[in-house]
Amino acid sequence: MAMDDRKQRILMAIVSLYATDGEPVGSNLLSRYFDMAVSSATLRNEMAALTKLGLLEQPHTSAGRVPTAKGYRYYVDNLLGGHLSLNRPSRDKIDALFQGLDYDPEKLAQSAAKALSGLLSYAVLVTTPLAQNPSIAHFEVLQVGRYTAAVLAVTAAGSVRTRVAKLDFELGREDASRYADTLNRYLRFVAEPDVNSGLIRTMVDSLGSAGPRAWPVLSAALTLLSEVGRPSIYFEGHQYLLQWPELEPGLRTLLELVGSRERIEALLQVGDTRTMVLFGDELPDKPIPGLCLVSRPYHAGGGLSGTIAVAGPARMPYREIIPELEYFSELLGRSMSGERGPGL
Amino acid sequence: MAMDDRKQRILMAIVSLYATDGEPVGSNLLSRYFDMAVSSATLRNEMAALTKLGLLEQPHTSAGRVPTAKGYRYYVDNLLGGHLSLNRPSRDKIDALFQGLDYDPEKLAQSAAKALSGLLSYAVLVTTPLAQNPSIAHFEVLQVGRYTAAVLAVTAAGSVRTRVAKLDFELGREDASRYADTLNRYLRFVAEPDVNSGLIRTMVDSLGSAGPRAWPVLSAALTLLSEVGRPSIYFEGHQYLLQWPELEPGLRTLLELVGSRERIEALLQVGDTRTMVLFGDELPDKPIPGLCLVSRPYHAGGGLSGTIAVAGPARMPYREIIPELEYFSELLGRSMSGERGPGL
DNA sequence: ATTAGCACTCGAACAGCTTGAGTGCTAAAA
DNA sequence: TTTTAGCACTCAAGCTGTTCGAGTGCTAAT
């Protein structure tokens, strides 16, 4: 029993009807939708077959059919078609969002998440862009208080992070530049996994007697190094998750997931080059029934890429959301690489 | 009809019983709690009086009484007593949370919010500390890419923020230091409201012909200046809000509130020196019934202070939460000012 | 001022009933 | 062999009526 053409069309119709109404689709409604091409009885037979294949399910015996996660998987993988087109009004709205946004990657990521979330009325997740092999191109150490120093790292990709270190003694200008030299000598362009205790010892030793008391600075630098490999993650529009009753049972799990940096990172690390659709039912540890994550990398130039994702129920209007997300991610990438959008 | 001693005791008893069970308190349950000192009939009369005073309400005619927001207000203002004591196990748990936390204020604020939220099982909100009159003590400009410069601001309080500016031309080392000099000359220790178009023009003019193309750098600096007056706000433990059925109707409004930086800032800007209790029903624009925010400033030394708040239902166990919050805020302040906690 | 007693209210829980959407199966038609 | 009309069946949703009990307000006695 394979997926012949008619079965595919039926699945598509059910996905589409269920997306708009949110109610199980019965054979009658479906036959009206098919406009009398076949009778409801035939549709019933087909639907039974699709149910046996695991692509549809019934909430209860006398209810209509609803696509399963597997059904949606089949739908997005085989039926959605590669090139969805973006309608003019959406394109214009997205263009408008990018007017007057800031260049700074962190700010941009956050405001992009907020803006897209507001536009779509879905929750949106954006990570800041990262290079494939993140490392730090340049360190600076600045005195910022009597006993505090700021350690500043410029990544190979040009973004900047700082961290404040607290010292036991009053830092002088020469100390600061000496520490910066040391950091630059030993940690420039070093990838995080290559840092080991030997390297750390060498660094401390190279500072001579000042080594141990400089430890907070080194430690801050090492923390920065470990951080440049981790993007910031902005999740905006929590409130939109509440509007989908089918997400309610898993809402708590979902919010815990969102609160846990590691797990979110793991989810998004499917770094493909295409738009990905991931269903909550397919999650490795704790499945979240009914959830769907449409994610897509964006490229900010210079090998930098981040992820942008829309979170909502599995019955999302993919035909609209996907091209919108794709166009948005393109503009976001351009914005981040400093180009101006088409409107400017 | 005033609040005599017995009415106060009755209100306290109702608050306490309702906090533990979450169910309306009837006269019988209450008389058992009072251990036969008075009969349920007397209690009924008193409860009717408290209802007339607006301190209690009934979900429906034949249900028990529940404190109103006004009732809780009376309770926390008049009955809670000034000095609540922290029990040993809680103190130890909080001490433990501060082991091994980072010094960096941003990171510390976020991890503090997460930690306290996990400990209490309530949502927690932490702002980074701010001086009363925030200004920037020192600017630096660094070249971080061919066409990008990082503008770095050290606040009077010693925290550091950066922002990346995109330029039209290749920045040299001399340009960078010239820009930094200009920023330092005109914007050092200037408070944001004192920046006007005259000052900006003076700055641009002082750079001569290089003025206009340096605009992105100046703009970044001005943005930083406006940002040092705004704390970062970390809200953690969204998921715990879901467990209180009485919050459900306002959950969406609440999450929108949390997503809106300005409104949260306005709420927390009641910058008193004491612990404040604010009820959702008392909110100016959109009341959120059943919500309660217990907030408290923490002091990080050097005139820096931030806010830490617990968000939950009005029927929180204040007697535990408040001392825990107070102790936590003390430790957080100490941690931020660089001191080590008692355990270290 | 307090309290016992009592009539009253009203939600929660349950059972019984109807309705209608939707099913699977069967047998006839194409 | 495929399609379809017809039919018996299922089951959630919605409505009604009933009971139960917790809780109330009021009144009259203490």
Side-chain angles (χ1 to χ4, degrees), chain A residues 102-104 107 114 140 142 144 150 152 154 158 160 163-164 166 227 238-240 252 256 259 337, chain B residues 102-104 107 114 140 142 144 150 152 154 158 160 163-164 166 227 238-240 242 252 256 259 337:
Chain A
D102 210 309
Y103 166 69
D104 189 271
K107 297 289 162 186
K114 254 194 182 120
E140 293 270 346
L142 293 170
V144 298
L152 188 144
V154 181
V160 177
R163 201 161 186 92
V164 176
K166 178 90 189 167
E227 265 179 18
H238 286 98
Q239 68 267 31
Y240 298 116
R252 183 154 179 169
E256 278 163 13
S337 55
Chain B
D102 210 307
Y103 166 70
D104 190 271
K107 297 289 161 186
K114 249 189 188 131
E140 294 270 345
L142 292 171
V144 298
L152 186 143
V154 181
V160 177
R163 201 161 187 94
V164 176
K166 177 90 186 169
E227 265 179 16
H238 285 99
Q239 68 268 31
Y240 298 117
L242 298 175
R252 182 151 180 174
E256 277 163 13
S337 55

Side-chain angles (χ1 to χ4, degrees), chain B residues 3-13 74 79:
Chain B
M3 285 294 286
D4 54 46
D5 182 62
R6 190 168 66 187
K7 284 197 184 59
Q8 294 192 336
R9 289 206 339 268
I10 290 173
L11 179 57
M12 286 181 72
Y74 187 91
L79 307 179

Side-chain angles (χ1 to χ4, degrees), chain B residues 35-267:
Chain B
D35 220 6
M36 301 303 167
V38 288
S39 78
S40 66
T42 308
L43 292 173
R44 280 202 288 284
N45 290 330
E46 294 287 56
M47 288 159 85
L50 286 168
T51 304
K52 200 163 285 172
L53 285 170
L55 304 180
L56 296 180
E57 68 185 346
Q58 292 178 280
H60 54 84
T61 321
S62 74
R65 299 307 210 286
V66 165
T68 60
K70 195 175 162 196
Y72 276 113
R73 171 56 61 207
Y74 187 91
Y75 173 77
V76 298
D77 288 350
N78 304 107
L79 307 179
L80 204 47
H83 283 295
L84 303 172
S85 66
L86 182 64
N87 61 33
R88 190 73 210 173
S90 301
R91 180 187 214 93
D92 290 345
K93 272 189 220 147
I94 295 173
D95 283 342
L97 289 184
F98 278 90
Q99 308 291 345
L101 283 191
D102 210 307
Y103 166 70
D104 190 271
E106 294 283 332
K107 297 289 161 186
L108 195 47
Q110 181 165 24
S111 46
K114 249 189 188 131
L116 186 58
S117 161
L119 177 70
L120 301 179
S121 294
Y122 282 84
V124 168
L125 205 150
V126 175
T127 72
T128 46
L130 230 57
Q132 284 87 341
N133 259 331
S135 65
I136 291 175
H138 182 69
F139 287 95
E140 294 270 345
V141 179
L142 292 171
Q143 184 181 5
V144 298
R146 283 183 71 137
Y147 297 105
T148 46
V151 181
L152 186 143
V154 181
T155 68
S159 82
V160 177
R161 298 226 187 172
T162 49
R163 201 161 187 94
V164 176
K166 177 90 186 169
L167 296 162
D168 302 331
F169 61 101
E170 202 160 336
L171 185 80
R173 199 166 265 280
E174 325 79 60
D175 293 322
S177 72
R178 203 145 49 91
Y179 297 161
D181 288 345
T182 305
L183 295 177
N184 281 315
R185 178 152 52 235
Y186 294 101
L187 294 179
R188 261 185 102 171
F189 296 118
V190 170
E192 201 208 345
D194 297 336
V195 177
N196 54 39
S197 57
L199 178 59
I200 294 174
R201 177 164 314 176
T202 312
M203 288 176 66
V204 175
D205 290 348
S206 83
L207 284 167
S209 65
R213 31 178 235 171
W215 175 247
V217 169
L218 298 191
S219 162
L222 292 170
T223 312
L224 283 169
L225 184 52
S226 76
E227 265 179 16
V228 295
R230 327 199 106 198
S232 304
I233 300 176
Y234 297 100
F235 190 95
E236 300 287 339
H238 285 99
Q239 68 268 31
Y240 298 117
L241 293 171
L242 298 175
Q243 72 190 306
W244 311 106
E246 67 262 46
L247 293 185
E248 217 188 290
L251 209 52
R252 182 151 180 174
T253 315
L254 176 55
L255 291 183
E256 277 163 13
L257 177 70
V258 167
S260 154
R261 202 207 156 67
E262 293 75 24
R263 284 194 283 162
I264 282 282
E265 265 182 71
L267 272 193

